[in-house]
């Protein structure tokens, strides 16, 4: 065999060996990329599940649908009254809470007067303490229905109707969506197909749950909690708040300030001034204590 032929065969073997090494390296890189991609995908899924669970457990981080006009952090506040009112009344309420019903029976007319004259705006936070303490879904379903009424610009009227027809605490009647829709008939123009769908579908259930979670982190633990310009004015049982005292507190806070540009809201029919049912009378005459969040 000539030297030229031997050199040619060696070169061919070297080229083949080099090509095999190149193919082997390419296959190794491919396997590595596939493995890395799989790990990244698993981590991404795990992170997504973790965020979802965290959002469900503590109401944080995860955006939820809010009713029209909702304000404040995470849009968890339903404001009523003039946005430029010189003072703000902040109210944390549970529609099943007997003490909240007593508060509304006592203060609704006064609050409406102060709202309609531009003296205050009221920021409502809807919570569900009774659901947690006693079981059931009446607090949740009623709050969702009230948020649905907010979409129709009829929150105040429906809010008042719910309290005017509040069942006793042991009767979870607000869990019945048919009853909530029946009460909507007391507010002119509220019971539309849109409202009915919103109530039946629980459109704002997640929003209510997030509001309730935020309440749990607020430092307050009972309803009603009532603040005037961030000062708690309803917690002193030795010197209880009265309608006259509320008016005076607002007048003092607003001294020298211009009233807001409020548009009076229509009142529902019937009003909270109507005589409560016998079962409600027995419950309310006992001046129920604020509903407190269970620590269990």
């Amino acid at each position: 065999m000539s030297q030229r032929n031997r050199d040619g065969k060696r070169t061919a073997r070297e080229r083949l060996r080099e090509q095999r090494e190149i193919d082997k390296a390419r296959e190794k890189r491919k396997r590595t990329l596939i493995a890395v991609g799989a790990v990244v995908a698993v981590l991404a899924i795990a992170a997504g599940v973790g965020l979802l669970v965290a959002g469900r457990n503590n109401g944080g981080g995860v955006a939820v649908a809010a009713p029209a006009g909702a304000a404040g952090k995470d849009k968890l506040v339903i404001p009523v009254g003039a946005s430029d009112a010189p003072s703000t009344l902040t109210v944390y309420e549970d529609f099943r809470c007997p003490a909240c019903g007593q508060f509304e029976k006592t203060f609704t007319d006064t609050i409406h007067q102060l709202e309609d004259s531009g003296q205050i705006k009221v920021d409502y936070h809807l919570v569900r303490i009774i659901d947690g303490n006693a079981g059931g879904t009446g607090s949740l379903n009623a709050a969702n229905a009230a948020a649905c009424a907010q979409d129709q610009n009829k929150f105040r009227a429906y809010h008042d109707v719910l309290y005017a027809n509040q069942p006793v605490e042991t009767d979870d009647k607000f869990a019945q969506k048919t009853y909530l829709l029946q009460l909507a008939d007391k507010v002119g123009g509220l019971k539309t197909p849109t409202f009915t769908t919103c109530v039946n579908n629980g459109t704002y259930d997640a929003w209510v749950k997030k509001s309730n979670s935020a309440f749990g982190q607020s430092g307050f633990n009972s309803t009603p909690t009532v603040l005037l310009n961030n000062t708690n004015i309803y917690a002193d049982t030795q010197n209880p708040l009265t309608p006259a005292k509320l008016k005076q507190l607002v007048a003092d806070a607003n001294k020298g300030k211009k009233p807001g540009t409020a548009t009076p809201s229509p009142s529902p029919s019937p009003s909270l001034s109507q005589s409560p049912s016998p079962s409600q009378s027995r419950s309310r005459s006992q001046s129920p204590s604020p509903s407190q969040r269970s620590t269990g």
Side-chain angles (χ1 to χ4, degrees):
M1 181 182 295
S2 66
Q3 183 65 38
R4 178 180 299 175
N5 289 339
R6 285 195 297 271
D7 290 343
K9 289 181 179 181
R10 186 183 302 113
T11 301
R13 286 196 299 270
E14 290 174 351
R15 286 200 301 269
L16 181 59
R17 185 172 58 254
E18 290 172 356
Q19 185 61 46
R20 287 175 178 171
E21 292 297 328
I22 291 173
D23 291 343
K24 188 182 297 183
R26 183 183 298 116
E27 185 64 25
K28 184 177 180 180
R29 285 198 302 271
K30 183 179 179 181
R31 288 195 301 268
T32 300
L33 289 174
I34 291 174
V36 170
V39 171
V40 170
V42 169
L43 291 175
I45 292 171
V49 170
L51 288 173
L52 180 60
V53 171
R56 286 177 175 174
N57 287 341
N58 58 34
V62 179
V64 298
K73 183 180 179 181
D74 295 328
K75 295 187 176 181
L76 297 178
V77 173
I78 293 184
V80 177
S83 60
D84 58 347
S87 287
T88 299
L89 192 72
T90 301
V91 180
Y92 293 86
E93 286 186 323
D94 181 329
F95 284 109
R96 287 180 69 187
C97 161
C100 297
Q102 182 66 48
F103 170 78
E104 289 296 334
K105 181 184 177 184
T106 304
F107 289 94
T108 289
D109 290 343
T110 300
I111 290 173
H112 286 350
Q113 291 169 11
L114 293 170
E115 286 172 342
D116 294 344
S117 61
Q119 300 301 310
I120 62 171
K121 76 177 178 74
V122 182
D123 284 348
Y124 286 98
H125 297 254
L126 308 184
V127 301
R128 53 180 311 218
I129 290 179
I130 305 299
D131 284 356
N133 291 351
T137 59
S139 301
L140 173 65
N141 291 356
N144 171 70
C148 295
Q150 170 68 9
D151 281 347
Q152 309 295 320
N153 197 31
K154 296 181 183 294
F155 170 82
R156 187 173 104 166
Y158 188 62
H159 163 277
D160 293 352
V161 163
L162 288 173
Y163 277 114
N165 296 272
Q166 183 189 57
V168 295
E169 185 176 1
T170 54
D171 180 5
D172 192 18
K173 196 169 184 179
F174 282 162
Q176 303 172 20
K177 294 180 179 180
T178 53
Y179 182 58
L180 297 172
L181 292 171
Q182 177 185 336
L183 293 179
D185 287 328
K186 298 178 181 293
V187 179
L190 173 58
K191 195 174 176 183
T192 63
T194 299
F195 174 80
T196 300
T197 298
C198 185
V199 171
N200 285 330
N201 289 353
T203 299
Y204 297 116
D205 282 0
W207 178 83
V208 175
K209 292 175 183 177
K210 189 167 186 176
S211 178
N212 188 68
S213 178
F215 175 68
Q217 300 168 16
S218 68
F220 305 117
N221 62 3
S222 64
T223 55
T225 291
V226 184
L227 316 175
L228 178 63
N229 298 328
N230 297 318
T231 298
N232 196 327
I233 59 174
Y234 200 67
D236 187 356
T237 57
Q238 300 302 314
N239 187 24
L241 186 69
T242 65
K245 184 177 178 180
L246 176 59
K247 288 181 179 179
Q248 188 59 54
L249 289 171
V250 172
D252 292 344
N254 291 353
K255 190 172 295 183
K257 299 177 183 178
K258 182 181 177 181
T261 52
T263 301
S265 300
S267 297
S269 178
S271 69
L272 278 175
S273 61
Q274 68 176 359
S275 298
S277 64
S279 61
Q280 289 173 316
S281 296
R282 287 194 298 271
S283 174
R284 290 172 175 171
S285 64
Q286 297 172 2
S287 298
S289 59
S291 297
Q292 296 188 340
R293 181 182 297 275
S294 172
T295 57

